């Protein structure tokens, strides 16, 4: 039976606290435990603490693997003479998300969850209830589909360990569907007397399948009535209220055994006439009860007359029809579970049972069935809690027994939408639905690809969802640009500007380190990060100064409006434009641009010397390019540059620099002379 | 991480029932483990598939039809890498691959363009530092010319016959240099190119003229991951996006309608521009007047949640994959 034990406290295998001290660091979804020498000879407290901090730092970047490597490295280098084969353990709490076959469950249920959150809240009454029941059925069909896949995997695998794991999963999923189905009947649909019994009958028929193989065997044999298990199958049908099928089988027996024709006809008639609740409004409960009472008395009379005395099988069937508890209990093996017993009892003694009356019958059924020899298992306690309409108890028990939050999170969310959970405030502030969704989604975030589902769950947690998302989203490892773009899009859609900036900065730094200046710029544009754009521009300018030419011209020539992101970037673009103009021999424009770069203070001061040196060839041209105004401006710039730093005497003493300044002064003076003459000359008459 | 390349059978097209519904769901034929994320893939020929990995490796897988298995038949490791190969993140993701049997061209986050031949061990040609930013996609323009798009909004044409490592032409978007993520060329009219951007904008370019797009169509609300012209019916275009939608752009209604001024004969022909007279049917994609020409745009996904990462279209079939780990096959695209 599944869910037979609560999850025992797990020991980290291999970590022995008696041999070594252990230190640990918390991560977003994992714990790193490592062995250390604190307290032993050579160890030190501070080293242990620093190791924890070291671990935490790597964690922030989601690089647990790197942390482990670095740590074992650091431990190995202690040089204490102690053999240091230290290990680092990664302790994960949610293993289930790594089971391949369960991924379908997570993905499909995410779709259903989103559909539910977005569904029309304005629909009231019956249509809303029908909608919620449909959602519940969708969840269940996903569980069943997953069970089917898991079952296929179990039979097709050759590895016995895997087979065992899959089989366990199948039984856990089956138990989940059982519980969910019951909750759907009792809570979501809130079936009332009459319909309640029908639903419970369906529920039992669907889930108690231990007898299915026996049924198949008998039905497919050549003469079913001769089969040794024939009467067992008839009993199964009767116990499950499958009257038509029971009658059909009995007719085979009757035709094979003409002597019991009389008995058969009576029994068949009784079974045919049995009043059952109907789903439509064709009869009221009172009518049903009346009819049932009559029928019950009729059965009683036939039994007491000894009509079935010669055939013990038929007699026991009649007793069952009368709701005789002992007779029903005799068929314990065919019912296999106490809740089957409960439903059969109800069918034959209280078909018009009301929801609130269920708890009494449930308790007594369980006691009678288990008989004091077996103690109830966790699954039994959960179902009992459901029959008692203790929703919180159901959720609590499921949380304890199941190893994963999926079930309780989705069920609670659905019940919350049915407006069934009072705002049961937990002491740390959020309500139960939110708590469970947060736990489930946090578990998803430790998975390399299912984290995307987690985002949507956080979105629908009004109190803490955003905070959790902000903390988790920064720790997703960004192995490719495409992944980074997806994360960024999520952050931008939720106005998480801090995270956008931080992620763009990480990507830009990575690009810069790999010498991908265009990529780096593209990331800083996305984040509108002026400081980083300045950094990149400085890098370009440095390259230019060192090599004398620009790298990545395709980028600089095509900056477009992004040039305005930072002053330095604007300067870079304009400076390149100057070079282009010069190359195209458009000297007056080039000259004007050069001057603007200095006078409008777009150029950084450190670059002025370079700019002035660039002006030299323009000054030396045969044709006069700079006007008088412009020449005065240039001279002023030069004076500003040289006069401004009195303490930079070393700079002045540098021969090359002094020569440059001298040459500039000379060129400027000459140009001034020429231009004054040119401008003073009256144009030809 | 457990990434796999899987081959599915989408069912026999001949099995269509009375209403033309297909019978049976796609079922898995075979699969094989793959190292790293699958960034792009394409059939090289009937049996071989070229796959681009996030580790920078390009692999050719062969499908053995007799026993329904896949095997790796050739691999170019570190086809894409960053300068410093010593650091742990030395590999750079290979972002796009395009095939024209036996030639294979790949591009990556390292800004490198590789030209491989299926039967040769080493690369035929490597264009180092082709781009200072990430190259997101590549496609063939002509047999020896390729188109690439990058993350600073540029569309570049490269002539592989020439030895210089410079593009022969550069086009860029006006305004903000929004990164371009996908590119496709019109199957019949090779001057028409479509690209999709990070802001979800669809741009149509005429590469014979100008350096800017002919039309910009505001489409998706997030990155457009792929754009495809229908190979046999190019009046239809398909785009998919991070916002979870897949759009079908249909300009086929324009082909039958001739612009009204062509009916009037004689007098008004003098006012027609020269280019319109030469081509009796102007491609709907290049037409400049969106009010006159009707384009039908349909979102093919009813309940969108997570991103649609990839799509492909052939004949009446459309297949697409989402981040919800689901593949959808639509076999009656034009029903």
């Amino acid at each position: 039976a599944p869910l037979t034990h609560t999850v025992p406290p797990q020991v980290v295998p291999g970590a022995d606290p008696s041999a070594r001290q252990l230190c640990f660091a918390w991560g977003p979804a994992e714990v790193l435990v490592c062995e250390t020498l604190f307290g032993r000879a050579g160890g030190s407290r501070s080293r242990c603490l620093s190791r924890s901090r070291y671990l935490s730092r790597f964690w922030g970047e989601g690089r647990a693997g790197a942390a482990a490597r670095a740590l074992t490295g650091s431990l190995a280098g202690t040089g204490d003479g102690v053999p240091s084969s230290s290990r680092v353990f990664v302790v994960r709490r949610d293993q289930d998300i790594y089971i391949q076959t369960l991924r379908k469950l997570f993905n499909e249920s995410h779709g259903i969850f989103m559909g539910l959150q977005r569904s029309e809240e304005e629909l009231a009454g019956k249509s809303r209830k029908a909608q919620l029941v449909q959602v519940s059925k969708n969840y269940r069909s996903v569980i069943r589909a997953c069970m089917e896949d898991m079952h296929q995997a179990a039979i097709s695998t050759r590895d016995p360990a895997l087979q065992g794991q899959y089989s366990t999963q199948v039984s856990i999923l089956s138990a989940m569907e059982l519980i969910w189905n019951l909750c759907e009947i009792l809570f979501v649909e809130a079936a009332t007397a009459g319909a309640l019994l029908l639903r419970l009958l369906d529920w039992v028929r669907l889930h108690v399948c231990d007898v299915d193989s026996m049924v198949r065997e008998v039905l497919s044999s050549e003469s079913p009535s001769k089969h040794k298990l024939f009467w067992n199958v008839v009993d199964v049908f009767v116990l499950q209220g499958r009257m038509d099928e029971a009658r059909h089988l009995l007719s085979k027996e009757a035709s094979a055994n003409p002597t019991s024709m009389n008995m058969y006809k009576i029994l068949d008639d009784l079974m045919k006439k049995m009043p059952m609740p109907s789903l439509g409004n064709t009869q009221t409960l009172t009518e049903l009860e009346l009819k049932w009472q009559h029928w019950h008395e009729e059965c009683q009379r036939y039994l007491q007359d000894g009509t079935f005395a010669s055939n013990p099988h038929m007699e026991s069937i009649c007793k069952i029809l009368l709701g005789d508890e002992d007779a029903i209990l005799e068929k314990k093996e065919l019912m296999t579970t106490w809740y089957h017993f409960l439903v059969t009892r109800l069918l034959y003694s209280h078909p018009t049972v009301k929801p609130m009356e269920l708890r009494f019958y449930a308790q007594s059924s369980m006691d009678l069935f288990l008989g004091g020899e077996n103690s109830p298992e966790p699954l039994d306690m959960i179902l009992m809690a459901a029959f008692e309409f203790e929703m919180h108890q159901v959720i609590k028990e499921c949380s304890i027994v199941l190893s994963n939050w999926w079930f309780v999170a989705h069920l609670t969310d659905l019940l919350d939408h049915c407006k069934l959970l009072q705002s049961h405030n937990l002491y740390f502030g959020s309500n139960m639905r939110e708590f469970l969704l947060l736990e489930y989604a946090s578990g998803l975030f430790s998975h390399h690809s299912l984290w995307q589902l987690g985002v949507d769950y956080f979105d629908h947690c009004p109190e803490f969802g955003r905070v959790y998302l902000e903390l988790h989203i920064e720790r997703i490892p960004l192995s490719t640009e495409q992944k980074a773009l997806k994360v960024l899009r999520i952050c931008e859609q939720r106005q998480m500007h801090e995270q956008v900036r931080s992620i763009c900065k990480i990507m830009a730094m990575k690009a810069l380190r790999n010498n991908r200046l265009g990529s780096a710029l593209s990331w800083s544009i996305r984040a509108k990060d002026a400081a980083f754009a300045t950094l990149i521009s400085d890098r370009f300018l440095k390259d230019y100064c060192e090599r004398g030419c620009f790298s990545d011209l395709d980028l600089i020539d095509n900056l477009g409006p992004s040039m305005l992101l930072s002053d330095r970037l604007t300067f870079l673009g304009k400076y390149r434009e100057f070079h282009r103009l010069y190359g195209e021999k458009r000297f007056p424009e080039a000259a004007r641009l050069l001057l603007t770069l200095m006078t409008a203070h777009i150029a950084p001061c450190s670059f002025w010397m370079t700019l002035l040196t660039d002006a030299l060839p323009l000054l030396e041209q045969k044709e006069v390019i700079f006007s008088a105004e412009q020449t005065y401006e240039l001279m002023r710039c030069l004076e500003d540059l040289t006069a401004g730093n009195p303490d930079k005497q070393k700079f002045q003493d540098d021969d090359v620099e002094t020569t440059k300044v001298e040459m500039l002064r000379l060129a400027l003076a000459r140009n001034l002379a020429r231009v004054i003459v040119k401008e003073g000359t009256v144009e030809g008459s | 991480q457990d990434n796999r390349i899987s081959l599915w059978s989408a069912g026999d097209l001949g099995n269509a029932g009375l209403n033309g519904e297909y019978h049976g769901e796609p079922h898995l034929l075979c699969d094989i483990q793959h190292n790293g994320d699958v960034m792009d893939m394409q059939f090289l020929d009937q049996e071989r598939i070229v796959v681009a990995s996030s580790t920078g490796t390009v692999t050719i897988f062969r499908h053995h039809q007799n026993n329904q298995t896949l095997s790796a038949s050739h691999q170019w490791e570190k086809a894409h890498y960053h300068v410093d190969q010593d650091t742990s993140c030395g590999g750079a993701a290979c972002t796009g691959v395009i095939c024209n049997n036996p030639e294979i061209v790949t591009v990556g986050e390292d800004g490198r363009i590789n030209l491989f031949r299926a039967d040769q061990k080493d690369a035929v040609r490597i264009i180092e530092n082709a781009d200072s930013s990430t190259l997101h996609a590549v496609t063939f323009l002509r047999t020896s010319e390729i188109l690439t798009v990058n993350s600073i909004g540029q569309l570049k044409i490269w002539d592989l016959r020439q030895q210089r490592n410079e593009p022969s032409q550069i086009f860029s978007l006006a305004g903000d240099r929004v990164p371009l993520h996908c590119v496709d060329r019109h199957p019949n009219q090779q001057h028409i190119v479509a690209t999709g951007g990070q802001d979800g904008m669809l741009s149509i370019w005429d590469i014979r003229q100008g350096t800017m797009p002919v039309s910009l169509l505001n489409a998706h609300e997030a990155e457009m991951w792929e754009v495809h012209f229908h190979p046999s019916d190019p009046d239809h275009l398909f785009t998919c996006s991070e916002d979870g939608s897949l759009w079908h752009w249909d300009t086929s209604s324009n082909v039958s309608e001739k612009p009204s001024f062509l009916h009037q004969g004689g007098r008004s022909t003098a006012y027609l521009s020269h280019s319109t007279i030469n081509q009796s049917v102007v491609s709907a994609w290049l037409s400049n007047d969106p009010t006159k020409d009707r384009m039908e745009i349909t979102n093919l996904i009813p309940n969108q949640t997570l991103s649609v990462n990839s799509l492909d279209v052939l004949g009446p079939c459309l297949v697409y994959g989402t981040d919800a780990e689901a593949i959808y096959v639509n076999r009656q695209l034009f029903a």
Side-chain angles (χ1 to χ4, degrees), chain A residues 77-101:
Chain A
T78 51
D80 282 329
V82 179
S84 48
S85 59
S86 306
R87 290 163 300 176
V88 179
F89 305 92
V90 181
V91 182
R92 278 207 193 94
R93 75 177 164 186
D94 198 343
Q95 283 289 11
D96 287 354
I97 53 175
Y98 290 91
I99 299 177
Q100 189 63 24
T101 26

Side-chain angles (χ1 to χ4, degrees), chain A residues 309-337:
Chain A
S310 55
N311 189 327
H313 292 291
M314 290 207 197
E315 191 175 46
S316 109
I317 289 177
C318 188
K319 284 190 183 162
I320 293 173
L321 290 179
L322 284 170
D324 183 326
E325 275 169 21
D326 296 321
I328 302 176
L329 266 177
E330 263 173 47
K331 313 288 175 186
K332 227 170 153 171
E333 309 305 319
L334 296 175
M335 290 189 292
T336 68
T337 61

Side-chain angles (χ1 to χ4, degrees), chain B residues 61-255:
Chain B
F61 288 97
R62 186 181 286 275
H63 173 220
H64 306 277
Q65 289 180 346
N66 48 357
N67 61 353
Q68 287 301 355
T69 51
L70 279 169
S71 65
S73 88
H74 193 96
Q75 198 171 64
W76 290 283
E77 286 192 18
K78 293 274 191 243
H80 292 276
Y81 58 93
H82 285 299
V83 174
D84 187 0
Q85 281 186 283
D86 295 325
T87 62
S88 57
C89 37
C94 175
T95 50
V97 68
I98 192 85
C99 306
N100 189 5
N101 201 3
E103 291 187 328
I104 302 167
V105 180
T106 70
V107 293
E109 279 181 16
D110 55 351
R112 190 175 267 112
I113 303 177
N114 292 321
L115 173 61
F116 297 108
R117 277 184 75 92
D119 41 11
Q120 289 182 10
K121 184 163 153 303
D122 296 321
V124 169
R125 171 115 185 258
I126 302 177
I127 304 180
E128 302 270 352
N129 215 15
D131 203 306
S132 61
S133 66
T134 300
L135 288 165
H136 283 292
V138 62
T139 192
F140 273 102
L141 179 61
R142 282 175 255 275
T143 22
S144 58
E145 286 185 325
I146 54 170
L147 286 163
T148 61
V149 288
N150 67 11
S151 55
I152 40 177
Q154 293 174 324
L155 172 68
K156 294 183 182 174
I157 303 182
W158 301 81
D159 190 340
L160 297 173
R161 289 168 303 196
Q162 296 189 8
Q163 278 313 306
R164 62 187 191 132
N165 286 351
E166 299 281 326
S168 48
Q169 244 185 312
I170 302 182
F171 302 84
S172 52
L173 298 166
D176 280 330
R177 300 291 194 255
V178 176
L180 293 172
H181 284 289
C182 51
V183 61
D184 197 21
R185 190 208 74 202
H186 193 287
N188 308 329
Q189 304 185 21
Q190 294 178 342
H191 53 273
I192 301 178
V193 172
T195 61
Q198 201 170 86
D199 52 359
M201 187 104 73
L202 172 68
S203 313
I204 309 284
W205 312 68
D206 182 346
I207 58 173
R208 298 169 307 186
Q209 45 186 298
T211 56
M212 296 204 302
V214 164
S215 47
L216 295 168
L217 299 156
N218 226 334
H220 297 282
E221 290 162 9
E223 286 84 351
M224 185 189 297
W225 292 123
E226 288 202 13
V227 61
H228 288 271
F229 280 100
H230 191 289
S232 46
D233 208 346
D235 287 325
H236 299 267
L237 182 81
F238 298 88
T239 59
C240 67
S241 160
E242 175 73 19
D243 68 3
S245 60
L246 195 158
W247 289 19
H248 171 193
W249 307 69
D250 182 356
T251 58
S252 56
S253 51
N254 293 315
V255 179

Side-chain angles (χ1 to χ4, degrees), chain A residues 17-126:
Chain A
S18 59
R20 295 203 183 223
Q21 288 271 305
L22 299 171
C23 75
F24 62 90
W26 286 105
E30 303 155 324
V31 177
L32 269 189
V33 174
C34 83
E35 296 169 332
T36 181
L37 299 169
F38 165 62
R40 308 293 153 123
S44 73
R45 189 186 171 87
S46 61
R47 209 182 292 164
C48 183
L49 281 177
S50 70
R51 242 168 249 141
S52 285
R53 241 176 276 134
Y54 198 37
L55 285 172
S56 309
R57 182 160 65 80
F58 273 102
W59 231 321
E61 298 172 24
R63 290 163 61 196
R69 271 196 300 278
L71 200 59
T72 45
S74 79
L75 284 174
T78 51
D80 282 329
V82 179
S84 48
S85 59
S86 306
R87 290 163 300 176
V88 179
F89 305 92
V90 181
V91 182
R92 278 207 193 94
R93 75 177 164 186
D94 198 343
Q95 283 289 11
D96 287 354
I97 53 175
Y98 290 91
I99 299 177
Q100 189 63 24
T101 26
L102 282 182
R103 280 172 85 147
K104 188 173 177 167
L105 182 72
F106 300 129
N107 277 294
E108 298 269 325
S109 58
H110 165 261
I112 301 171
F113 174 86
M114 291 303 286
L116 176 60
Q117 309 308 309
R118 290 179 191 159
S119 65
E120 287 293 310
E121 283 282 357
E122 290 97 50
L123 290 178
K126 279 216 174 90

